[in-house]
Amino acid sequence: MAGEQHQDSTTDVVRWAAFSCVLVPVVLLWYGTSLAGATGTALGLAAVTAVCRVLLRRSERGATRSLAEERAALAEEHASLAPRRGRHHRSGTGAHRGGRHSGGNTPGG
């Protein structure tokens, strides 16, 4: 769920950057900048936006991978702290724990 929210915010940032790639040259043309200057600005903004998008996606993948590794390490730590219940590591009480059995099926009483 948090990953989806993070991805949505990244998508929003990229959308706003793309919007500004269109808006800034239009405003520059409105205020009298040459078409070549506005086009150069648009291309520069598009290049910066593309690089930022690649870096954001790479960062998301790294964060997702790091989170998965952290969860795996926590699960492994939890498993190592859990009580062992194998053949020689039984926990709890029972008839097979050793010692004398009280009452029950003894011939003398």
Side-chain angles (χ1 to χ4, degrees):
M1 186 190 246
E4 291 176 8
Q5 183 181 8
H6 181 71
Q7 189 174 8
D8 290 342
S9 64
T10 302
T11 303
D12 289 343
V13 168
V14 172
R15 284 182 183 164
W16 277 107
F19 174 71
S20 67
C21 287
V22 174
L23 182 64
V24 169
V26 169
V27 171
L28 288 174
L29 285 172
W30 183 268
Y31 282 102
T33 304
S34 67
L35 182 61
T39 303
T41 301
L43 291 175
L45 287 172
V48 169
T49 300
V51 169
C52 288
R53 181 177 184 266
V54 168
L55 292 174
L56 282 169
R57 299 295 181 204
R58 184 179 294 174
S59 174
E60 284 177 345
R61 285 193 303 265
T64 302
R65 189 177 311 120
S66 176
L67 183 61
E69 289 172 358
E70 187 176 310
R71 285 183 180 169
L74 285 174
E76 184 177 317
E77 181 180 334
H78 180 69
S80 69
L81 295 176
R84 301 185 193 281
R85 297 182 188 262
R87 180 176 177 183
H88 298 289
H89 299 280
R90 290 188 180 138
S91 63
T93 59
H96 299 288
R97 294 288 296 163
R100 293 189 163 185
H101 301 283
S102 61
N105 299 328
T106 58

